[in-house]
Amino acid sequence: MTGFVLRLARESIPRTQAALAEALGVDTETVQGWESGRRPLANMRAGALLELRRQLPALGADAVMVGWLDAAMDADRILAAGLQPDGGRPHPLAGWVHTRETAHMLAWALTGTTPPALAGCLSRPRRGPVAAAPQLAPVDRQVFFDHLRAVTEHAAAQGPGGVLLHRQALYLASYDLSPDAAAWTAHALHGHRDVLARRGWSPHWAAARSTATALARLGDPQPLYDFIDRALDGDDTAEAANLNYWALWLGALSVPQSDDAFMCDRALTGWDPVTLLRGLARGLHRAPGYVDLYVHSLWALLTAFGWLPQATGQLAQPLRERTAQLLDEAELSDRSRRELARVHYVLDHNR
């Protein structure tokens, strides 16, 4: 994944491998090794990697593309753990709460789904036997998912110490849509539906949220409706946890988190509300279940930060238009319709 993103960054300059090597003061084989994965960037000394990240934008590389190298390296660690397991080390899914960018990188490798932010970078014609996407070969994908399901079951038996690993591994396992795998995933997810009925915050709240969103992605939105109604709506601690989770997922909270404890911050500190509003506005869509979660989260964010409509500038107009469109055309629950109407009203009356 990292090599593929580096290649896209090089092509955005644009420069050949030889030209980039010359500019960086390395040989062409080194650049070829980086891009092919034979010389992983993650194996570079920290100072050398930092220098590379600074030199690429200075040479004209797309800064956004360079920024995706972090998520690509995260994804490579997770993929490597499944393809070449090292039983002596903690699984990377147990070590930090991964973000949307990492999830998008993993989906790219596992399902071929291009991250929306990078879709426009793949339109250039390519010459020779060059991969059009960094998707794993079917045999590797099968090995990865088989290992991931074993990890999920092992983490479930670890009790509290395996909560983060189990939650993230099970969600990632839902990317495998082959019939047998989908049946296993659905069974495993439904086995944890009891946590959806728990009112408000608990140590299992994040697992309940991931379970509900994974089931919605698999075509069953009802658990997500239930989660919003029972484990989220009206509970201040749970509402704060949801916004904190979104903040990390969407990049408003830039500090990496080693576990789910950061969600308990009821003061909503450490992240930028405007960045979160922008992320929620971009992600708002009609997918069953998800539209309700986005709407409720937008409503909660504007309720918590009453000054946001005055600080959003040009963001408010397209969001106001989008909320009006959804109110006219989308199938919404009564709660979501009320909350979306409130969001539209606040935006409309703070122009």
Side-chain angles (χ1 to χ4, degrees), residues 102-137:
T102 300
H104 281 179
M105 279 285 147
L106 290 165
W108 203 5
L110 297 169
T111 70
T113 303
T114 304
L118 303 184
C121 303
L122 305 178
S123 58
R124 304 179 186 88
R126 303 186 181 278
R127 299 176 181 176
V130 179
Q135 189 171 6
L136 290 182

Side-chain angles (χ1 to χ4, degrees), residues 186-207:
H187 176 77
L189 289 169
H190 282 288
H192 291 82
R193 286 187 65 151
D194 61 309
V195 298
L196 300 176
R198 299 181 186 180
R199 180 68 180 167
W201 171 263
S202 77
H204 298 282
W205 183 89

